[in-house]
Amino acid sequence: MRTSMLTSIVRRSSTTGASYVSRRGFASGSAPERKVAVLGAAGGIGQPLSLLMKLNPLVSSLSLYDIAGTPGVAADVSHINTRSEVVGFAGEEQLGKALEGADVVIIPAGVPRKPGMTRDDLFNINAGIVKSLCTAIAKYCPNALVNMISNPVNSTVPIAAEVFKKAGTYDEKKLFGVTMLDVVRAKTFYAGKAKVNVAEVNLPVVGGHAGITILPLFSQATPKANLSNEEIVALTKRTQDGGTEVVEAKAGKGSATLSMAYAGAIFADACLKGLNGVPDVVECAFVQSNVTELPFFASKVRLGKNGVEEVLGLGPLNDYEKQGLEALKPELLSSIEKGIKFAKEN
Ligand SMILES: NC(=O)c1ccc[n+]([C@@H]2O[C@H](COP(=O)([O-])OP(=O)(O)OC[C@H]3O[C@@H](n4cnc5c(N)ncnc54)[C@H](O)[C@@H]3O)[C@@H](O)[C@H]2O)c1
Ligand SMILES: O=C(O)C[C@H](O)C(=O)O
C-alpha cells in the first residue's frame, strides 16, 4: 500500500476536514524534525496509536515506551515505510532516553475500566503512574506538549500540572487532557441521527471527560438539522455514556482502544501542525482555563507554536446546555481538587 493511502486514515482535521498536505504550509518532505513519544505504547491504545503516529508524515522520530513489550511493538511498527525512525524503550531505566528531545508526549499509560467501574475508580492506580511519568517529563523534555489520555482525565491533568509546578517547569500552554474521543463520538452520533455526511459534521464538546462532565453542544453543530428535544437529550446521553457503551460491549476486556487511538492521533496531529506554524488549528481539549470559574475546563483551543495559543469561549448555549454546564461543575471541580490534593501530598 502506498504511504499516501495509509496516511489518509489520519489526515483529516476534525475541525476543518482539510488534509496535511494542503494545510501544513510546506511541501511534503520538508516538514521540520519532530519527535513524538508514546508512554504506554504496548497497551490497547498504545499499539494502534503508535501505528497511526508512524503514518503521520509530520513525525520524524517515534519513541515507544512502556514498562515491557515495547521492543516487539517498535520492531513491528518500524518496518512500515514512512518517514519516522522508530525506537522502543522498555523499563524505567530507559524512560529518560525515550523522552529526551520529545516535542510531543502522548500518555495512554495506566489501567482501563471494567464493567461497573467509573473512571474515578482508576484514580488510585493511574494517579501514581501519571505522577511518575510527568516527573520524568519535567526532567527530560520540559518543553514538550503533553497529551494526557490516562483516566480519570479530570484528575490526571491537574496531577500533571502540580508535578510540573513542583519541578518549576509548568507551562499551562503545553498541557492537554485529550477529550477528542468525546468529539469524535458526538460527531458520529449526530451524523447518524441528523442523516448528514459525518465527514462534514463539526461541533464542540466542553467540560471534562467523565459522565455528565462531558457536555456536547449540539446547538452549535453543523450542518444544522431539525432534531427534536428528545433526540438531543438522547444524543447527549449517548455521548456522555460512550465510554461505558464500549466498556460493557468489551465485557471485561478493557475500554475503547481503537477509536481512542484514532482520536489521540488526530489530536497529536493538531498539536504538531500548531508547532509547525499552521494557522487556525482548533480542537477541543481539557486545559487550564478562564472560560468558567473552574481552573481546568475542556473547550475549543487554538493551537500554535507554543501549544495553546488561545482558549476559545463556549459560544451561545441554549437552556438545556446551560443547565448541563451548571450541573457538571461540582463533579468536575471535585475531580480537579482530588488530583491537586494527591499531587501535593505525594
Ligand atoms: N482520554 C480518553 O478519552 C480515554 C479513552 C480510552 C481510554 N483511556 C484511558 O487510557 C488508559 C489506557 O487504556 P488502555 O486500554 O490502553 O489500557 P491497557 O492496559 O491496554 O494499556 C496500558 C498500558 O500502560 C502501560 N503502563 C502501565 N504502567 C506504566 C508506566 N508506569 N509507564 C509506562 N507504561 C505503563 C501498561 O504496561 C500497558 O501496556 C486507561 O487509563 C484508560 O482509561 C482514556
Ligand atoms: O470509558 C472509559 O473508561 C475510557 C474512555 O474514557 C472512554 O471515554 O472511552
Side-chain angles (χ1 to χ4, degrees), residues 180-202:
M180 194 76 218
L181 181 53
D182 303 316
V183 178
V184 165
R185 285 177 176 142
K187 287 178 175 181
T188 303
F189 302 157
Y190 177 84
K193 195 54 92 183
K195 308 230 173 342
V196 294
N197 180 355
V198 70
E200 288 170 15
V201 173
N202 204 359

Side-chain angles (χ1 to χ4, degrees), residues 7-346:
T7 53
S8 69
I9 296 168
V10 291
R11 75 182 183 184
R12 290 217 163 263
S13 154
S14 56
T15 305
T16 63
S19 73
Y20 290 141
V21 177
S22 59
R23 294 192 72 244
R24 65 184 176 162
F26 30 75
S28 191
S30 66
E33 303 278 296
R34 293 290 177 202
K35 175 170 170 174
V36 173
V38 180
L39 311 185
I45 296 167
Q47 292 201 36
L49 178 58
S50 300
L51 166 65
L52 293 174
M53 295 319 294
K54 175 65 176 140
L55 303 186
N56 189 324
L58 301 184
V59 182
S60 58
S61 166
L62 184 59
S63 173
L64 305 183
Y65 172 80
D66 205 305
I67 46 179
T70 20
V73 178
D76 190 354
V77 166
S78 73
H79 289 188
I80 295 169
N81 59 322
T82 54
R83 179 185 180 207
S84 51
E85 296 289 330
V86 183
V87 185
F89 300 91
E92 226 179 310
E93 60 292 347
Q94 297 194 359
L95 180 54
K97 277 262 168 294
L99 290 172
E100 261 168 19
D103 297 288
V104 177
V105 180
I106 316 175
I107 313 184
V111 289
R113 281 200 286 164
K114 289 190 185 331
M117 292 171 81
T118 66
R119 291 175 182 83
D120 186 58
D121 292 334
L122 306 172
F123 186 97
N124 287 346
I125 299 180
N126 290 354
I129 293 174
V130 162
K131 181 172 176 272
S132 69
L133 293 173
C134 289
T135 302
I137 290 169
K139 184 164 176 199
Y140 294 105
C141 54
N143 296 318
L145 304 193
V146 175
N147 292 184
M148 183 69 70
I149 293 175
S150 310
N151 268 319
V153 167
N154 292 354
S155 302
T156 53
V157 169
I159 290 172
E162 286 305 310
V163 171
F164 297 149
K165 279 180 198 165
K166 264 193 203 166
T169 65
Y170 183 52
D171 180 347
E172 73 273 14
K173 294 186 169 63
K174 300 195 167 175
L175 177 60
F176 304 86
V178 180
T179 55
M180 194 76 218
L181 181 53
D182 303 316
V183 178
V184 165
R185 285 177 176 142
K187 287 178 175 181
T188 303
F189 302 157
Y190 177 84
K193 195 54 92 183
K195 308 230 173 342
V196 294
N197 180 355
V198 70
E200 288 170 15
V201 173
N202 204 359
L203 76 135
V205 180
V206 303
H209 178 69
I212 63 158
T213 73
I214 300 167
L215 184 62
L217 302 181
F218 287 112
S219 69
Q220 296 178 24
T222 52
K224 290 268 170 240
N226 217 357
L227 298 180
S228 67
N229 288 346
E230 291 70 34
E231 285 172 316
I232 294 295
V233 170
L235 280 177
T236 302
K237 183 146 178 35
R238 188 163 181 216
T239 305
Q240 292 173 333
D241 292 345
T244 306
E245 185 178 320
V246 179
V247 168
E248 281 168 3
K250 290 199 174 180
K253 297 232 162 67
S255 55
T257 53
L258 304 173
S259 50
M260 181 59 239
Y262 169 78
I266 293 282
F267 189 72
D269 177 60
C271 287
L272 289 165
K273 284 195 183 113
L275 287 177
N276 289 352
V278 175
D280 293 326
V281 181
V282 175
E283 297 293 355
C284 289
F286 184 65
V287 294
Q288 184 176 312
S289 173
N290 293 321
V291 162
T292 68
E293 63 274 30
L294 304 184
F296 294 90
F297 198 82
S299 66
K300 284 203 250 176
V301 165
R302 188 183 311 286
L303 295 155
K305 290 188 176 177
N306 299 306
V308 175
E309 208 151 78
E310 186 185 1
V311 179
L312 300 170
L314 297 180
L317 306 190
N318 63 23
D319 287 347
Y320 176 64
E321 292 162 351
K322 281 182 194 157
Q323 272 172 26
L325 177 62
E326 290 316 308
L328 72 78
K329 286 178 181 173
E331 179 183 330
L332 184 50
L333 180 60
S334 128
S335 301
I336 292 168
E337 285 175 343
K338 186 173 175 178
I340 294 173
K341 183 164 183 278
F342 170 87
K344 284 196 167 144
E345 288 175 1
N346 289 277

